[in-house]
Short mmCIF file of all heavy atoms in Angstrom, two decimals:
data_model
loop_
_atom_site.label_atom_id
_atom_site.label_comp_id
_atom_site.label_asym_id
_atom_site.label_seq_id
_atom_site.Cartn_x
_atom_site.Cartn_y
_atom_site.Cartn_z
N LEU A 120 50.04 30.93 14.33
CA LEU A 120 51.19 31.64 15.01
C LEU A 120 50.53 32.79 15.71
O LEU A 120 51.09 33.19 16.81
CB LEU A 120 52.16 31.99 13.89
CG LEU A 120 53.35 32.78 14.47
CD1 LEU A 120 54.12 32.01 15.54
CD2 LEU A 120 54.30 33.10 13.18
N SER A 121 49.69 33.59 15.06
CA SER A 121 49.03 34.76 15.78
C SER A 121 48.52 34.44 17.13
O SER A 121 48.74 35.08 18.14
CB SER A 121 47.97 35.37 14.90
OG SER A 121 48.54 35.88 13.67
N ARG A 122 47.70 33.26 17.12
CA ARG A 122 47.14 32.85 18.36
C ARG A 122 48.14 32.39 19.35
O ARG A 122 48.08 32.68 20.60
CB ARG A 122 46.14 31.69 18.08
CG ARG A 122 45.45 31.12 19.26
CD ARG A 122 44.37 30.12 18.87
NE ARG A 122 44.88 29.08 18.05
CZ ARG A 122 44.63 28.85 16.85
NH1 ARG A 122 43.96 29.83 16.10
NH2 ARG A 122 45.11 27.92 16.09
N ALA A 123 49.23 31.71 18.96
CA ALA A 123 50.25 31.15 19.78
C ALA A 123 51.02 32.33 20.43
O ALA A 123 51.42 32.31 21.58
CB ALA A 123 51.19 30.19 19.14
N LEU A 124 51.28 33.37 19.60
CA LEU A 124 51.98 34.50 20.12
C LEU A 124 51.14 35.24 21.18
O LEU A 124 51.70 35.70 22.26
CB LEU A 124 52.34 35.49 19.01
CG LEU A 124 53.50 35.04 18.11
CD1 LEU A 124 53.56 35.88 16.85
CD2 LEU A 124 54.81 35.00 18.82
N ARG A 125 49.85 35.40 20.96
CA ARG A 125 48.94 35.98 21.98
C ARG A 125 49.00 35.21 23.25
O ARG A 125 49.09 35.80 24.28
CB ARG A 125 47.56 36.10 21.42
CG ARG A 125 47.32 37.25 20.40
CD ARG A 125 45.84 37.49 20.22
NE ARG A 125 45.09 36.29 19.80
CZ ARG A 125 44.89 35.93 18.53
NH1 ARG A 125 45.49 36.58 17.61
NH2 ARG A 125 44.20 34.77 18.32
N GLU A 126 48.93 33.93 23.18
CA GLU A 126 48.82 33.06 24.28
C GLU A 126 50.15 33.10 25.01
O GLU A 126 50.15 32.85 26.27
CB GLU A 126 48.48 31.64 23.89
CG GLU A 126 47.08 31.42 23.48
CD GLU A 126 46.77 30.05 22.84
OE1 GLU A 126 47.73 29.32 22.71
OE2 GLU A 126 45.64 29.79 22.55
N SER A 127 51.23 33.47 24.37
CA SER A 127 52.60 33.53 25.10
C SER A 127 52.73 34.94 25.65
O SER A 127 53.80 35.31 26.22
CB SER A 127 53.72 33.29 24.05
OG SER A 127 53.90 34.24 23.04
N GLY A 128 51.71 35.79 25.48
CA GLY A 128 51.83 37.18 26.06
C GLY A 128 52.36 38.13 25.10
O GLY A 128 52.79 39.30 25.52
N ARG A 129 52.45 37.84 23.79
CA ARG A 129 53.06 38.80 22.80
C ARG A 129 51.96 39.15 21.78
O ARG A 129 51.43 38.31 21.00
CB ARG A 129 54.18 38.14 22.11
CG ARG A 129 55.25 37.70 23.04
CD ARG A 129 56.53 37.17 22.32
NE ARG A 129 57.38 36.60 23.34
CZ ARG A 129 58.13 37.30 24.19
NH1 ARG A 129 58.07 38.60 24.08
NH2 ARG A 129 58.85 36.74 25.06
N GLU A 130 51.64 40.44 21.79
CA GLU A 130 50.70 40.97 20.82
C GLU A 130 51.43 41.43 19.53
O GLU A 130 51.61 42.58 19.31
CB GLU A 130 49.79 42.08 21.40
CG GLU A 130 48.90 41.65 22.42
CD GLU A 130 47.78 40.70 21.94
OE1 GLU A 130 47.44 40.80 20.78
OE2 GLU A 130 47.17 39.91 22.75
N LEU A 131 51.91 40.42 18.73
CA LEU A 131 52.60 40.77 17.52
C LEU A 131 51.81 40.44 16.29
O LEU A 131 51.55 39.20 16.15
CB LEU A 131 53.97 40.05 17.50
CG LEU A 131 54.92 40.34 18.54
CD1 LEU A 131 56.24 39.41 18.47
CD2 LEU A 131 55.41 41.85 18.48
N PRO A 132 51.35 41.34 15.50
CA PRO A 132 50.64 40.93 14.24
C PRO A 132 51.51 40.19 13.35
O PRO A 132 52.73 40.53 13.27
CB PRO A 132 50.16 42.32 13.70
CG PRO A 132 51.20 43.38 14.26
CD PRO A 132 51.56 42.83 15.64
N VAL A 133 50.92 39.27 12.66
CA VAL A 133 51.64 38.37 11.75
C VAL A 133 51.18 38.69 10.30
O VAL A 133 50.02 38.56 9.95
CB VAL A 133 51.52 36.93 11.97
CG1 VAL A 133 52.34 36.03 11.05
CG2 VAL A 133 51.82 36.57 13.44
N TYR A 134 52.12 39.15 9.52
CA TYR A 134 51.90 39.49 8.03
C TYR A 134 52.41 38.28 7.23
O TYR A 134 53.18 37.48 7.68
CB TYR A 134 52.67 40.78 7.64
CG TYR A 134 52.12 42.02 8.39
CD1 TYR A 134 52.56 42.35 9.68
CD2 TYR A 134 51.30 42.92 7.70
CE1 TYR A 134 52.14 43.44 10.35
CE2 TYR A 134 50.80 44.08 8.36
CZ TYR A 134 51.18 44.32 9.67
OH TYR A 134 50.80 45.47 10.30
N PHE A 135 51.96 38.24 5.95
CA PHE A 135 52.27 37.24 5.05
C PHE A 135 52.69 37.69 3.70
O PHE A 135 51.86 38.46 3.07
CB PHE A 135 51.01 36.20 4.96
CG PHE A 135 51.09 35.12 3.98
CD1 PHE A 135 52.26 34.52 3.64
CD2 PHE A 135 49.98 34.73 3.32
CE1 PHE A 135 52.43 33.48 2.71
CE2 PHE A 135 49.95 33.70 2.35
CZ PHE A 135 51.17 33.10 2.08
N GLY A 136 53.78 37.28 3.21
CA GLY A 136 54.26 37.66 1.86
C GLY A 136 55.05 36.59 1.23
O GLY A 136 55.70 35.68 1.84
N ASN A 137 54.97 36.59 -0.11
CA ASN A 137 55.66 35.52 -0.93
C ASN A 137 56.71 36.00 -1.85
O ASN A 137 56.71 37.20 -2.22
CB ASN A 137 54.68 34.73 -1.80
CG ASN A 137 53.75 33.86 -0.99
OD1 ASN A 137 54.13 33.12 -0.05
ND2 ASN A 137 52.47 33.89 -1.33
N ARG A 138 57.63 35.16 -2.22
CA ARG A 138 58.64 35.51 -3.25
C ARG A 138 58.01 35.55 -4.61
O ARG A 138 58.39 36.39 -5.45
CB ARG A 138 59.73 34.51 -3.20
CG ARG A 138 60.83 34.67 -4.26
CD ARG A 138 61.83 33.58 -4.21
NE ARG A 138 62.43 33.53 -2.92
CZ ARG A 138 63.14 32.41 -2.44
NH1 ARG A 138 63.21 31.33 -3.19
NH2 ARG A 138 63.71 32.44 -1.25
N ASN A 139 57.27 34.60 -5.02
CA ASN A 139 56.88 34.31 -6.42
C ASN A 139 55.41 34.58 -6.78
O ASN A 139 55.13 34.48 -7.93
CB ASN A 139 57.27 32.92 -6.78
CG ASN A 139 58.70 32.68 -6.75
OD1 ASN A 139 59.50 33.32 -7.44
ND2 ASN A 139 59.20 31.80 -5.95
N TRP A 140 54.53 34.82 -5.85
CA TRP A 140 53.10 35.02 -6.18
C TRP A 140 52.41 35.75 -5.11
O TRP A 140 52.94 35.93 -3.97
CB TRP A 140 52.45 33.68 -6.45
CG TRP A 140 51.24 33.80 -7.39
CD1 TRP A 140 49.94 33.57 -7.16
CD2 TRP A 140 51.28 34.30 -8.79
NE1 TRP A 140 49.23 33.81 -8.18
CE2 TRP A 140 49.93 34.35 -9.18
CE3 TRP A 140 52.33 34.73 -9.63
CZ2 TRP A 140 49.50 34.71 -10.50
CZ3 TRP A 140 51.91 35.07 -10.87
CH2 TRP A 140 50.57 35.13 -11.36
N HIS A 141 51.24 36.19 -5.35
CA HIS A 141 50.40 36.91 -4.47
C HIS A 141 50.09 36.08 -3.27
O HIS A 141 49.77 34.90 -3.35
CB HIS A 141 49.14 37.24 -5.06
CG HIS A 141 49.26 37.98 -6.41
ND1 HIS A 141 49.57 39.39 -6.47
CD2 HIS A 141 49.22 37.57 -7.70
CE1 HIS A 141 49.68 39.70 -7.79
NE2 HIS A 141 49.47 38.66 -8.52
N PRO A 142 50.06 36.61 -2.00
CA PRO A 142 50.47 38.05 -1.75
C PRO A 142 51.95 38.16 -1.79
O PRO A 142 52.76 37.47 -1.08
CB PRO A 142 49.88 38.30 -0.30
CG PRO A 142 49.98 36.88 0.34
CD PRO A 142 49.65 35.96 -0.89
N TYR A 143 52.49 39.09 -2.55
CA TYR A 143 54.00 39.35 -2.74
C TYR A 143 54.61 39.94 -1.41
O TYR A 143 53.85 40.77 -0.72
CB TYR A 143 54.27 40.20 -3.88
CG TYR A 143 54.19 39.59 -5.22
CD1 TYR A 143 53.12 39.77 -6.08
CD2 TYR A 143 55.12 38.62 -5.62
CE1 TYR A 143 53.05 39.13 -7.26
CE2 TYR A 143 54.97 38.01 -6.86
CZ TYR A 143 53.96 38.26 -7.65
OH TYR A 143 53.84 37.62 -8.90
N ALA A 144 55.84 39.57 -1.21
CA ALA A 144 56.51 40.21 -0.05
C ALA A 144 56.58 41.74 -0.16
O ALA A 144 56.45 42.36 0.85
CB ALA A 144 57.93 39.66 0.05
N GLU A 145 56.66 42.24 -1.38
CA GLU A 145 56.73 43.75 -1.51
C GLU A 145 55.38 44.32 -1.02
O GLU A 145 55.50 45.42 -0.36
CB GLU A 145 56.95 44.06 -2.94
CG GLU A 145 58.30 43.66 -3.56
CD GLU A 145 58.34 42.34 -4.13
OE1 GLU A 145 57.57 41.43 -3.71
OE2 GLU A 145 59.09 42.06 -5.06
N ASP A 146 54.28 43.67 -1.20
CA ASP A 146 53.02 44.22 -0.83
C ASP A 146 52.88 44.08 0.70
O ASP A 146 52.38 45.04 1.40
CB ASP A 146 51.86 43.53 -1.52
CG ASP A 146 51.83 43.81 -3.07
OD1 ASP A 146 52.43 44.78 -3.48
OD2 ASP A 146 51.48 42.90 -3.77
N ALA A 147 53.31 42.95 1.22
CA ALA A 147 53.23 42.76 2.64
C ALA A 147 54.06 43.85 3.46
O ALA A 147 53.61 44.40 4.50
CB ALA A 147 53.65 41.34 3.02
N VAL A 148 55.27 44.05 2.99
CA VAL A 148 56.11 45.05 3.71
C VAL A 148 55.63 46.42 3.51
O VAL A 148 55.76 47.30 4.46
CB VAL A 148 57.57 44.90 3.24
CG1 VAL A 148 58.46 45.95 3.92
CG2 VAL A 148 58.10 43.45 3.54
N THR A 149 55.05 46.74 2.35
CA THR A 149 54.33 48.07 2.26
C THR A 149 53.27 48.18 3.17
O THR A 149 53.09 49.27 3.69
CB THR A 149 53.90 48.22 0.77
OG1 THR A 149 55.06 48.04 -0.14
CG2 THR A 149 53.17 49.50 0.49
N GLU A 150 52.46 47.18 3.33
CA GLU A 150 51.35 47.24 4.32
C GLU A 150 51.93 47.44 5.68
O GLU A 150 51.33 48.25 6.46
CB GLU A 150 50.57 46.00 4.24
CG GLU A 150 49.37 45.89 5.19
CD GLU A 150 48.63 44.58 5.14
OE1 GLU A 150 49.18 43.70 4.38
OE2 GLU A 150 47.66 44.42 5.91
N MET A 151 53.01 46.77 6.01
CA MET A 151 53.60 46.91 7.34
C MET A 151 54.08 48.45 7.58
O MET A 151 53.77 48.94 8.64
CB MET A 151 54.80 45.95 7.54
CG MET A 151 54.35 44.50 7.48
SD MET A 151 55.81 43.36 7.16
CE MET A 151 56.57 43.45 8.90
N ALA A 152 54.59 48.96 6.51
CA ALA A 152 55.07 50.29 6.67
C ALA A 152 53.95 51.28 6.94
O ALA A 152 53.99 52.20 7.79
CB ALA A 152 55.91 50.79 5.41
N ARG A 153 52.81 51.05 6.17
CA ARG A 153 51.66 51.91 6.27
C ARG A 153 50.96 51.72 7.64
O ARG A 153 50.33 52.66 8.15
CB ARG A 153 50.66 51.67 5.24
CG ARG A 153 51.17 52.21 3.78
CD ARG A 153 50.29 51.75 2.67
NE ARG A 153 50.75 52.39 1.39
CZ ARG A 153 50.51 51.91 0.24
NH1 ARG A 153 49.78 50.85 0.05
NH2 ARG A 153 50.92 52.58 -0.90
N ASP A 154 51.19 50.57 8.24
CA ASP A 154 50.58 50.22 9.65
C ASP A 154 51.46 50.79 10.74
O ASP A 154 51.09 50.64 11.90
CB ASP A 154 50.27 48.79 9.72
CG ASP A 154 49.17 48.23 8.88
OD1 ASP A 154 48.38 49.05 8.38
OD2 ASP A 154 49.05 47.00 8.78
N GLY A 155 52.54 51.33 10.39
CA GLY A 155 53.44 51.93 11.36
C GLY A 155 54.42 50.88 12.07
O GLY A 155 55.11 51.21 13.01
N VAL A 156 54.60 49.69 11.39
CA VAL A 156 55.52 48.72 11.94
C VAL A 156 56.96 49.27 11.66
O VAL A 156 57.31 49.69 10.57
CB VAL A 156 55.41 47.42 11.20
CG1 VAL A 156 56.47 46.45 11.65
CG2 VAL A 156 54.06 46.77 11.48
N ARG A 157 57.74 49.30 12.77
CA ARG A 157 59.09 49.81 12.65
C ARG A 157 60.24 48.77 12.65
O ARG A 157 61.26 48.96 12.11
CB ARG A 157 59.34 50.76 13.89
CG ARG A 157 58.39 51.93 13.96
CD ARG A 157 58.68 52.91 14.95
NE ARG A 157 59.97 53.52 14.71
CZ ARG A 157 60.53 54.51 15.49
NH1 ARG A 157 59.92 54.77 16.58
NH2 ARG A 157 61.64 55.05 15.17
N ARG A 158 59.97 47.67 13.26
CA ARG A 158 60.97 46.55 13.38
C ARG A 158 60.26 45.20 13.49
O ARG A 158 59.43 45.03 14.44
CB ARG A 158 61.95 46.77 14.55
CG ARG A 158 63.14 45.84 14.60
CD ARG A 158 64.17 46.39 15.61
NE ARG A 158 65.24 45.42 15.85
CZ ARG A 158 66.33 45.39 15.19
NH1 ARG A 158 66.52 46.14 14.09
NH2 ARG A 158 67.25 44.44 15.46
N ALA A 159 60.58 44.27 12.59
CA ALA A 159 59.83 43.02 12.56
C ALA A 159 60.79 41.84 12.43
O ALA A 159 61.88 41.97 11.79
CB ALA A 159 58.80 43.00 11.47
N LEU A 160 60.36 40.73 12.93
CA LEU A 160 61.07 39.46 12.67
C LEU A 160 60.50 38.75 11.39
O LEU A 160 59.32 38.91 11.22
CB LEU A 160 60.90 38.61 13.92
CG LEU A 160 61.58 39.06 15.20
CD1 LEU A 160 61.11 38.27 16.44
CD2 LEU A 160 63.15 38.95 15.14
N VAL A 161 61.35 37.97 10.79
CA VAL A 161 60.93 37.41 9.56
C VAL A 161 61.12 35.89 9.69
O VAL A 161 62.28 35.38 9.94
CB VAL A 161 61.77 37.92 8.22
CG1 VAL A 161 61.23 37.14 7.09
CG2 VAL A 161 61.53 39.43 8.08
N PHE A 162 59.97 35.08 9.62
CA PHE A 162 60.17 33.68 9.61
C PHE A 162 60.04 33.26 8.14
O PHE A 162 58.92 33.25 7.53
CB PHE A 162 59.06 33.01 10.46
CG PHE A 162 59.09 31.47 10.44
CD1 PHE A 162 60.12 30.73 10.94
CD2 PHE A 162 58.16 30.84 9.68
CE1 PHE A 162 60.11 29.39 10.91
CE2 PHE A 162 58.17 29.42 9.62
CZ PHE A 162 59.13 28.68 10.22
#
C-alpha cells in the first residue's frame, strides 16, 4: 500500500496496529502522534 500510494502521487506513510496483539493500535496511534500526524485515514 505504501508503494501504491507513492505511485499514485501520495506520500502518505502507512502505520500498522492491531486490536488483540502486537503491534497494538494504541502503540501505532501513539507513534503517529509523536511523528506529528494530525489527521489520518483508517483502513
